[in-house]
Amino acid sequence: MRPNRPVAVLGGVRIPFCRQNTAYADVGNLGMSVRTLGALVEKFGLHGQQLGEVAMGAVIKHSNDWNLGREAALSSGLSPLTPGITLQRACGTSLDSIITIANKIAVGQIEAGIGGGSDTTSDVPIVYGKQLRRRLLEAARAKTTKDKLAAFKGFHLRELKPEFPGVAEPRTGKSMGDHCEDMAKQWNISRDSQDEWALSSHQKLAAAYERGFFDDLVVSFRGVSRDNILRPDSSLEKLATLKPAFDKTSGRGTLTAANSTPLTDGAAACLLASEEWAQAHGHEVLCYLRDAQVSAVDFVHGEGLLMAPTVAVPEMLKRNGLSLQDFDIYEIHEAFAAQVLCTLRAWESEEYCKNRLGLDAPLGKIDPAKINPNGSSLAAGHPFAATGARIVATAAKELKQRGGGRCLISICTAGGMGVVAILER
């Protein structure tokens, strides 16, 4: 392998993100992935071209979606000689798939590739319980009719009760929202500040659509041209009327349906390449992926489930000789408004930065005007495996329009992990 070389981000595309059980209820991950990859192929004139790899991801998928990356690539217009792989790290999935492609480019294994992901919470895998699955497998293995019937001895109708994908952390039994409620209480994040953050996200995303920022980033699908979660006419007064969505009994719950991301369907993808490949194929480099980092926290024993980016960012900053303030924009995934506000407060905390992060001083404050300048997940929605690619494509275009600069990307994930990255132009 050759020494690391620059990895260029050439751009990305996505379909509008839609609330579950609406426009994409009957599409599924493959359909959304094919539409997105096909649009990317069209955008960059990649018809019939062989790329080094297509890495896609999905968090909620059926067992027959065994390799979405390869299957979507085969229907995208790319050469069928382009290999594909499917990855998964909860909400960080498509940022991870982009990092996977970038690492292969950096060491010279490939010249160009696509990273992205899709997710559906409408078309979820529904399975039978363990007992019935065991019976069916025994019947399938049986050699005689008698043995097949014997597998169902003692069968009860309750075994037909289906099992749905769980949204709780397996090790705690608590949902992500429940965990974030705990974080909001620990860091004293008010309901008002969460609602204000959520409203700002909607306002910024709506403004970006109005000025045409997303014209070449979002392609229509199923009759939808904009994220259908977006509420440009929202107000603090409207948000204040909503009841707590997770802590409904203590009287201290602050997370609501408005300041939390809704369950969402959608897909996004980005094209990355070496400088040489980009130049040879006539593509402009929007920015470069400079570095990335993944970290985890011990949420089972008390750390905040969504606080891992607070650990990953200083590790990455130290390696690159940067401070938290050395960025022109910050793209912080808004799983919940409270999660963003907890992260910012932790970086400002002398105690947290010293005792948990081992730093001599707090990382410090970030100018709120530099965070998510075009809105983020609270307004756009959050298909788990598509958010990272949405953010990279958005940030890359923003850096181009600014004429240069540096962007910090921060994504928290289920399982107490965080994926972060640096883009620069």
Side-chain angles (χ1 to χ4, degrees):
M1 293 187 289
R2 69 181 70 177
N4 286 0
R5 56 181 177 167
V7 177
V9 179
L10 307 186
V13 72
R14 67 180 176 93
I15 57 176
F17 291 173
C18 291
R19 190 180 298 271
Q20 72 168 159
N21 297 321
T22 58
Y24 307 152
D26 62 340
V27 181
N29 282 317
L30 182 58
M32 293 190 295
S33 297
V34 168
R35 171 58 176 147
T36 301
L37 287 184
L40 193 69
V41 167
E42 185 71 28
K43 180 175 181 177
F44 289 96
L46 301 175
H47 293 280
Q49 292 192 34
Q50 178 182 346
L51 300 185
E53 184 87 274
V54 170
M56 294 290 285
V59 177
I60 298 179
K61 63 188 186 76
H62 294 272
S63 58
N64 58 359
D65 291 336
W66 65 276
N67 190 347
L68 284 168
R70 173 60 171 163
E71 292 301 316
L74 285 170
S75 298
S76 68
L78 291 170
S79 165
L81 303 182
T82 301
I85 187 173
T86 304
L87 307 172
Q88 200 264 74
R89 195 203 297 273
C91 310
T93 295
S94 57
L95 181 53
D96 262 312
S97 69
I98 288 170
I99 293 167
T100 297
I101 295 297
N103 287 342
K104 291 188 175 186
I105 294 170
V107 299
Q109 293 178 347
I110 64 175
E111 292 298 319
I114 295 171
S118 69
D119 245 301
T120 175
T121 49
S122 299
D123 181 24
V124 299
I126 302 172
V127 299
Y128 293 114
K130 183 178 180 180
Q131 178 66 16
L132 183 55
R133 295 201 304 271
R134 183 184 63 78
R135 292 184 187 278
L136 292 171
L137 289 171
E138 286 184 4
R141 289 192 296 264
K143 303 296 185 181
T144 67
T145 300
K146 180 180 178 181
D147 290 339
K148 289 181 184 294
L149 293 174
F152 292 92
K153 183 179 180 180
F155 169 79
H156 195 282
L157 284 176
R158 64 172 172 266
E159 295 178 29
L160 291 174
K161 182 180 179 180
E163 293 181 356
F164 294 84
V167 295
E169 288 290 333
R171 294 181 178 272
T172 64
K174 296 165 62 175
S175 72
M176 187 178 288
D178 292 330
H179 275 283
C180 196
E181 275 282 14
D182 293 340
M183 289 164 49
K185 293 179 176 66
Q186 177 186 352
W187 290 97
N188 297 313
I189 306 299
S190 70
R191 163 74 181 270
D192 288 346
S193 65
Q194 294 176 52
D195 286 350
E196 289 169 3
W197 192 279
L199 178 62
S200 176
S201 186
H202 282 271
Q203 291 173 336
K204 289 186 287 188
L205 184 68
Y209 268 111
E210 289 305 313
R211 67 174 181 270
F213 180 84
F214 291 110
D215 286 355
D216 64 339
L217 292 178
V218 178
V219 295
S220 62
F221 187 47
R222 285 298 181 97
V224 182
S225 58
R226 290 190 178 187
D227 311 303
N228 73 4
I229 291 144
L230 176 60
R231 296 291 180 267
D233 59 345
S234 191
S235 67
L236 288 177
E237 291 74 21
K238 291 180 180 179
L239 300 190
T241 64
L242 299 180
K243 296 180 179 180
F246 300 98
D247 180 359
K248 302 177 181 180
T249 58
S250 75
R252 299 173 58 215
T254 57
L255 273 67
T256 70
N259 58 41
S260 309
T261 52
L263 294 174
T264 316
D265 304 337
C270 292
L271 176 65
L272 293 86
S274 66
E275 290 179 307
E276 296 81 4
W277 190 93
Q279 183 176 9
H281 290 78
H283 298 305
E284 178 186 5
V285 175
L286 300 187
C287 65
Y288 294 90
L289 179 57
R290 173 167 170 172
D291 200 4
Q293 179 74 32
V294 179
S295 294
V297 293
D298 186 5
F299 71 97
V300 178
H301 296 99
E303 287 197 271
L305 176 73
L306 306 179
M307 296 297 284
T310 67
V311 180
V313 165
E315 292 174 348
M316 184 174 64
L317 294 179
K318 181 179 180 180
R319 186 166 60 245
N320 287 273
L322 296 170
S323 74
L324 185 60
Q325 289 69 40
D326 289 336
F327 296 86
D328 301 276
I329 55 174
Y330 302 80
E331 286 285 347
I332 303 178
H333 162 49
E334 300 167 341
F336 304 89
Q339 159 258 319
V340 179
L341 295 169
C342 287
T343 295
L344 298 177
R345 190 160 292 181
W347 285 336
E348 296 172 13
S349 167
E350 181 175 0
E351 179 183 0
Y352 185 83
C353 288
K354 179 180 180 180
N355 297 335
R356 176 59 181 89
L357 304 181
L359 304 176
D360 295 330
L363 287 172
K365 294 185 177 182
I366 298 174
D367 181 356
K370 296 181 178 181
I371 303 175
N372 302 340
N374 299 293
S376 194
S377 306
L378 286 168
H382 174 42
F384 306 126
T387 288
R390 173 190 67 78
I391 287 175
V392 170
T394 300
K397 180 171 181 178
E398 179 69 20
L399 290 174
K400 177 197 172 182
Q401 290 196 345
R402 289 170 178 253
R406 188 181 291 126
C407 174
L408 175 65
I409 296 174
S410 172
I411 299 179
C412 60
T413 88
M417 296 177 288
V419 189
V420 302
I422 297 172
L423 299 181
E424 61 184 13
R425 176 182 170 95

